[in-house]
Amino acid sequence: MIDSLKTKYWTVDKSLDNLERHPAIIEAANIIKRNDVIAFPTETVYGLGGNALSDEALAKIFHAKGRPSDNPLIIHIATCSQLGAVVDAIPETAKKLMTAFWPGPLTIVLAKGIGMSDKVTAGLPTIAVRMPDDPIALALIKAANVPIAAPSANRSGKPSPTDATHVRLDLDGKISGIIDGGMTNIGVESTVIECQSNTVTILRPGGITKSQLAKVIPHVSEDAYFITKDHVPKSPGMKYTHYSPKAPIILVSGDAQSIQKIVNEEKQAGNRVGVLTTKENVDSYVADVILACGERQHLSTVGAELYATLRQFDLHEVDLIVSESFPKVGIGEAIMNRLEKAASTHL
Ligand code: TXA
Ligand code: MG
């Protein structure tokens, strides 16, 4: 497989009308049609997209990311008419959720359609599907006229990209193109769920919160994996170390004083120490690098800036990052899930 591609770069203003006919979108869609892969924005994070019906395209996605082949991909669609080819059947519970949350950051795991490749599902009998809420993503899927398989457009193990420059850093020369549509809004990935009759199980917390789901389907639970880590996670991606900047993260649940104490100890040990905090608390610390990630009062801003902040620590070349914790409510559940997975130590 080719490892030094010339990666095309397009900047597209997502507020334009008729994006499906935008020359950059047409060019990118043609690349998808010839089974090559490109990165594009969604409302959550940038995706690395390829024709979901082509084993050749799927192999290129796994190769470019360095992704383990047992971690299945999410299929992105632009209209519900595309579902017929992707899934086998749509239970009533799923229909209600699609009506309520699509387009949007909700991925639904359903029985796999017979025509879909085992490469997409990593051999599972189920397939994950979502309709992204981003005009560029929707225009690209429509112009390509195929469902698009897309994991987050980062090298495996790195924080997901929330800006086209992150994609460039990870995948330049490894993919055919990058559509730059600016910073993504939500910043953490979609919520992955499974549904049974009248119940929903969250396999990965994300952009749609538990309480939002509960307004549509009253019984919402979490995969047993989140309760005792002895269980194998139903979302295979959850078992990998993810979202990690270069430096190890110490995730602390105490107040600013107890965080500062850890910073002092690490500095005494000769380490260059970074602190991940929020705008409200930047003046509470003395450390080598202090980065504010959104506002604690508005957790959605922490979600939006989390991955970019983790990547910024790489540029500052810190030896370790001491991070504040966040309440596990609303989008805070997804934020803490990602921080806990990124962290090497929890105090
Ligand atoms: O917001 C998002 O979901 C982004 C954007 C690009 O759409 N995509 C994304 O994809 O985060 P990825 O590949 O990084 O994560 C997909 C997650 C993984 O945890 C994977 O294991 C899970 O979805 N998944 C995929 N198919 C599944 C299935 N059939 N059953 C259970 N989990 C599945
Ligand atoms: Mg990912």
Side-chain angles (χ1 to χ4, degrees):
M1 211 165 281
I2 311 160
D3 251 340
S4 54
L5 292 169
K6 172 120 188 58
T7 304
K8 284 214 161 200
Y9 199 90
W10 308 273
T11 304
V12 176
D13 175 355
K14 62 177 72 180
S15 66
L16 291 175
D17 289 334
N18 296 322
L19 279 173
E20 268 167 79
R21 275 178 269 152
H22 189 293
I25 300 291
I26 291 173
E27 198 181 347
N30 284 335
I31 293 176
I32 298 268
K33 284 185 198 168
R34 61 163 208 251
N35 301 331
D36 281 324
V37 299
I38 59 129
F40 63 98
T42 80
E43 78 282 34
T44 55
V45 301
Y46 275 72
L48 173 58
N51 178 358
L53 308 175
S54 154
D55 275 1
E56 183 192 347
L58 297 169
K60 285 176 185 168
I61 293 174
F62 281 95
H63 181 74
K65 269 190 73 105
R67 182 179 179 106
S69 59
D70 67 347
N71 194 1
L73 307 177
I74 295 173
I75 308 298
H76 295 65
I77 56 168
T79 62
C80 282
S81 59
Q82 288 181 299
L83 274 173
V86 178
V87 305
D88 185 37
I90 312 169
E92 275 311 307
T93 317
K95 282 186 191 156
K96 285 186 193 157
L97 293 165
M98 288 169 186
T99 307
F101 298 112
W102 281 7
L106 182 72
T107 295
I108 308 181
V109 173
L110 295 166
K112 166 174 118 58
I114 43 165
M116 298 305 291
S117 165
D118 277 342
K119 287 215 162 52
V120 125
T121 62
L124 292 174
T126 54
I127 194 157
V129 58
R130 88 176 188 101
M131 189 187 289
D133 186 16
D134 181 281
I136 293 176
L138 292 172
L140 177 70
I141 302 165
K142 283 184 191 152
N145 200 27
V146 287
I148 292 186
S152 49
N154 51 289
R155 284 286 291 173
S156 232
K158 286 270 151 209
S160 295
T162 50
D163 197 281
T165 55
H166 303 156
V167 181
R168 203 175 219 175
L169 274 172
D170 279 14
L171 297 177
D172 195 40
K174 293 186 161 60
I175 61 178
S176 296
I178 300 171
I179 306 176
D180 182 348
M183 244 186 88
T184 61
N185 298 327
I186 295 177
V188 288
E189 301 85 345
S190 62
T191 303
V192 179
I193 59 144
E194 198 182 60
C195 48
Q196 301 79 26
S197 60
N198 280 317
T199 65
V200 170
T201 309
I202 298 177
L203 308 186
R204 176 180 73 177
I208 297 289
T209 64
K210 192 174 174 181
S211 61
Q212 282 176 293
L213 290 168
K215 283 187 188 135
V216 181
I217 307 293
H219 192 77
V220 182
S221 59
E222 268 136 25
D223 184 7
Y225 166 78
F226 292 103
I227 296 140
T228 63
K229 301 278 179 226
D230 300 342
H231 283 78
V232 176
K234 277 198 169 170
S235 172
M238 286 282 102
K239 71 177 181 282
Y240 294 105
T241 313
H242 261 94
Y243 320 113
S244 301
K246 284 185 195 145
I249 299 179
I250 302 178
L251 181 60
V252 188
S253 57
D255 58 9
Q257 234 179 340
S258 47
I259 293 176
Q260 185 64 51
K261 196 162 157 269
I262 295 163
V263 173
N264 294 346
E265 284 164 12
E266 293 297 340
K267 282 202 66 63
Q268 256 159 23
N271 285 319
R272 184 171 155 77
V273 185
V275 173
L276 188 152
T277 179
T278 56
K279 291 208 174 71
E280 295 95 330
N281 292 347
V282 271
D283 296 330
S284 308
Y285 300 104
V286 181
D288 296 297
V289 180
I290 300 164
L291 295 181
C293 175
E295 291 172 56
R296 181 169 282 275
Q297 280 175 20
H298 304 285
L299 278 184
S300 61
T301 62
V302 176
E305 293 176 28
L306 180 66
Y307 291 142
T309 310
L310 292 179
R311 281 178 180 262
Q312 243 183 303
F313 280 112
D314 285 353
L315 303 177
H316 287 283
E317 300 193 331
V318 291
D319 296 314
L320 88 161
I321 301 162
V322 185
S323 172
E324 289 183 358
S325 295
F326 297 91
K328 287 184 181 175
V329 287
I331 195 73
E333 278 204 60
I335 294 167
M336 282 301 285
N337 170 265
R338 306 310 190 263
L339 275 173
E340 281 171 357
K341 291 190 72 60
S344 52
T345 314
H346 302 192
L347 296 174

Short mmCIF file of all heavy atoms in Angstrom, two decimals, residues 45-46 65 67 71 151-161 189 204 242-243 307, ligand 2:
data_model
loop_
_atom_site.label_atom_id
_atom_site.label_comp_id
_atom_site.label_asym_id
_atom_site.label_seq_id
_atom_site.Cartn_x
_atom_site.Cartn_y
_atom_site.Cartn_z
N VAL A 45 -16.13 15.24 15.57
CA VAL A 45 -14.69 15.28 15.27
C VAL A 45 -14.53 15.03 13.76
O VAL A 45 -15.49 14.64 13.11
CB VAL A 45 -13.91 14.20 16.07
CG1 VAL A 45 -14.11 14.39 17.58
CG2 VAL A 45 -14.31 12.78 15.67
N TYR A 46 -13.35 15.24 13.23
CA TYR A 46 -13.12 14.94 11.81
C TYR A 46 -13.13 13.42 11.61
O TYR A 46 -12.64 12.66 12.46
CB TYR A 46 -11.78 15.51 11.33
CG TYR A 46 -11.88 16.96 10.90
CD1 TYR A 46 -12.04 17.98 11.85
CD2 TYR A 46 -11.85 17.32 9.56
CE1 TYR A 46 -12.17 19.30 11.46
CE2 TYR A 46 -11.98 18.65 9.15
CZ TYR A 46 -12.14 19.63 10.11
OH TYR A 46 -12.28 20.94 9.71
N LYS A 65 -4.77 4.86 9.45
CA LYS A 65 -4.89 5.15 10.89
C LYS A 65 -3.96 4.31 11.75
O LYS A 65 -3.72 4.62 12.90
CB LYS A 65 -6.32 4.82 11.35
CG LYS A 65 -7.28 5.96 11.28
CD LYS A 65 -8.58 5.60 11.99
CE LYS A 65 -8.45 5.57 13.48
NZ LYS A 65 -9.01 6.66 14.21
N ARG A 67 -5.00 1.33 12.56
CA ARG A 67 -6.06 0.88 13.46
C ARG A 67 -6.11 -0.65 13.53
O ARG A 67 -6.05 -1.31 12.49
CB ARG A 67 -7.41 1.40 12.95
CG ARG A 67 -8.63 1.04 13.81
CD ARG A 67 -9.85 1.66 13.18
NE ARG A 67 -11.10 1.41 13.83
CZ ARG A 67 -11.77 2.31 14.55
NH1 ARG A 67 -11.25 3.50 14.76
NH2 ARG A 67 -12.95 2.04 15.05
N ASN A 71 -11.42 -3.51 15.46
CA ASN A 71 -12.20 -2.36 15.92
C ASN A 71 -13.08 -1.85 14.77
O ASN A 71 -12.59 -1.23 13.84
CB ASN A 71 -11.25 -1.27 16.42
CG ASN A 71 -11.99 -0.19 17.22
OD1 ASN A 71 -13.21 -0.28 17.41
ND2 ASN A 71 -11.26 0.81 17.66
N PRO A 151 -13.95 6.30 10.69
CA PRO A 151 -13.50 6.45 12.08
C PRO A 151 -13.01 7.88 12.26
O PRO A 151 -12.96 8.65 11.29
CB PRO A 151 -12.32 5.47 12.16
CG PRO A 151 -11.75 5.48 10.79
CD PRO A 151 -12.90 5.74 9.83
N SER A 152 -12.67 8.27 13.48
CA SER A 152 -12.07 9.58 13.68
C SER A 152 -10.75 9.64 12.91
O SER A 152 -10.04 8.64 12.80
CB SER A 152 -11.84 9.83 15.17
OG SER A 152 -11.19 8.73 15.77
N ALA A 153 -10.43 10.84 12.36
CA ALA A 153 -9.30 10.97 11.42
C ALA A 153 -7.97 11.25 12.12
O ALA A 153 -7.22 12.14 11.74
CB ALA A 153 -9.61 12.06 10.40
N ASN A 154 -7.69 10.48 13.18
CA ASN A 154 -6.41 10.59 13.89
C ASN A 154 -5.63 9.29 13.69
O ASN A 154 -6.23 8.27 13.34
CB ASN A 154 -6.67 10.80 15.38
CG ASN A 154 -7.65 9.76 15.93
OD1 ASN A 154 -8.84 9.80 15.61
ND2 ASN A 154 -7.15 8.83 16.72
N ARG A 155 -4.33 9.33 13.94
CA ARG A 155 -3.58 8.07 14.03
C ARG A 155 -4.11 7.35 15.26
O ARG A 155 -4.43 7.98 16.28
CB ARG A 155 -2.08 8.34 14.20
CG ARG A 155 -1.38 8.76 12.94
CD ARG A 155 -1.15 7.63 11.95
NE ARG A 155 -0.18 6.65 12.40
CZ ARG A 155 0.07 5.50 11.75
NH1 ARG A 155 -0.59 5.17 10.65
NH2 ARG A 155 0.98 4.67 12.20
N SER A 156 -4.21 6.06 15.22
CA SER A 156 -4.74 5.29 16.33
C SER A 156 -4.02 5.63 17.62
O SER A 156 -2.78 5.71 17.64
CB SER A 156 -4.54 3.81 16.02
OG SER A 156 -5.73 3.13 16.16
N GLY A 157 -4.78 5.87 18.71
CA GLY A 157 -4.16 6.17 20.01
C GLY A 157 -4.05 7.66 20.29
O GLY A 157 -3.93 8.07 21.43
N LYS A 158 -4.09 8.50 19.25
CA LYS A 158 -3.97 9.96 19.43
C LYS A 158 -5.34 10.55 19.73
O LYS A 158 -6.37 9.95 19.40
CB LYS A 158 -3.45 10.59 18.13
CG LYS A 158 -1.99 10.34 17.88
CD LYS A 158 -1.18 11.44 18.50
CE LYS A 158 0.18 10.96 18.92
NZ LYS A 158 0.75 11.65 20.04
N PRO A 159 -5.39 11.76 20.31
CA PRO A 159 -6.69 12.40 20.49
C PRO A 159 -7.38 12.61 19.14
O PRO A 159 -6.71 12.86 18.13
CB PRO A 159 -6.34 13.75 21.13
CG PRO A 159 -4.98 13.56 21.73
CD PRO A 159 -4.28 12.58 20.84
N SER A 160 -8.71 12.51 19.10
CA SER A 160 -9.44 12.72 17.86
C SER A 160 -9.23 14.16 17.38
O SER A 160 -9.07 15.07 18.18
CB SER A 160 -10.93 12.47 18.07
OG SER A 160 -11.14 11.12 18.37
N PRO A 161 -9.26 14.37 16.05
CA PRO A 161 -9.02 15.71 15.51
C PRO A 161 -10.27 16.57 15.53
O PRO A 161 -11.32 16.16 15.05
CB PRO A 161 -8.58 15.44 14.07
CG PRO A 161 -9.09 14.09 13.75
CD PRO A 161 -9.41 13.36 15.00
N GLU A 189 -16.66 12.51 20.50
CA GLU A 189 -17.32 11.70 19.48
C GLU A 189 -18.79 11.44 19.82
O GLU A 189 -19.25 11.73 20.92
CB GLU A 189 -16.59 10.36 19.32
CG GLU A 189 -15.13 10.47 18.92
CD GLU A 189 -14.20 10.68 20.10
OE1 GLU A 189 -14.68 11.02 21.21
OE2 GLU A 189 -12.98 10.51 19.92
N ARG A 204 -20.82 3.75 24.35
CA ARG A 204 -19.77 4.79 24.48
C ARG A 204 -20.49 6.11 24.73
O ARG A 204 -21.28 6.54 23.89
CB ARG A 204 -18.95 4.89 23.18
CG ARG A 204 -17.91 6.02 23.23
CD ARG A 204 -17.08 6.16 21.96
NE ARG A 204 -17.83 6.72 20.85
CZ ARG A 204 -17.31 6.99 19.66
NH1 ARG A 204 -16.04 6.70 19.41
NH2 ARG A 204 -18.06 7.51 18.69
N HIS A 242 -6.70 5.32 24.41
CA HIS A 242 -7.11 6.23 23.37
C HIS A 242 -6.73 7.64 23.76
O HIS A 242 -6.38 7.90 24.88
CB HIS A 242 -8.65 6.25 23.34
CG HIS A 242 -9.24 5.40 22.30
ND1 HIS A 242 -9.63 4.13 22.55
CD2 HIS A 242 -9.54 5.64 21.00
CE1 HIS A 242 -10.17 3.62 21.47
NE2 HIS A 242 -10.12 4.51 20.51
N TYR A 243 -6.95 8.54 22.85
CA TYR A 243 -7.05 9.96 23.17
C TYR A 243 -5.81 10.51 23.88
O TYR A 243 -5.88 11.49 24.61
CB TYR A 243 -8.28 10.22 24.08
CG TYR A 243 -9.51 9.40 23.69
CD1 TYR A 243 -10.01 8.41 24.51
CD2 TYR A 243 -10.14 9.65 22.48
CE1 TYR A 243 -11.13 7.67 24.15
CE2 TYR A 243 -11.25 8.91 22.11
CZ TYR A 243 -11.74 7.92 22.95
OH TYR A 243 -12.83 7.19 22.58
N TYR A 307 -9.79 17.89 23.14
CA TYR A 307 -8.74 17.24 22.34
C TYR A 307 -7.70 18.23 21.84
O TYR A 307 -6.51 17.91 21.79
CB TYR A 307 -9.36 16.48 21.16
CG TYR A 307 -10.17 15.27 21.57
CD1 TYR A 307 -11.34 14.95 20.91
CD2 TYR A 307 -9.75 14.44 22.60
CE1 TYR A 307 -12.08 13.83 21.26
CE2 TYR A 307 -10.47 13.32 22.96
CZ TYR A 307 -11.64 13.01 22.29
OH TYR A 307 -12.36 11.90 22.63
MG MG B 2 -11.59 7.22 17.30
#
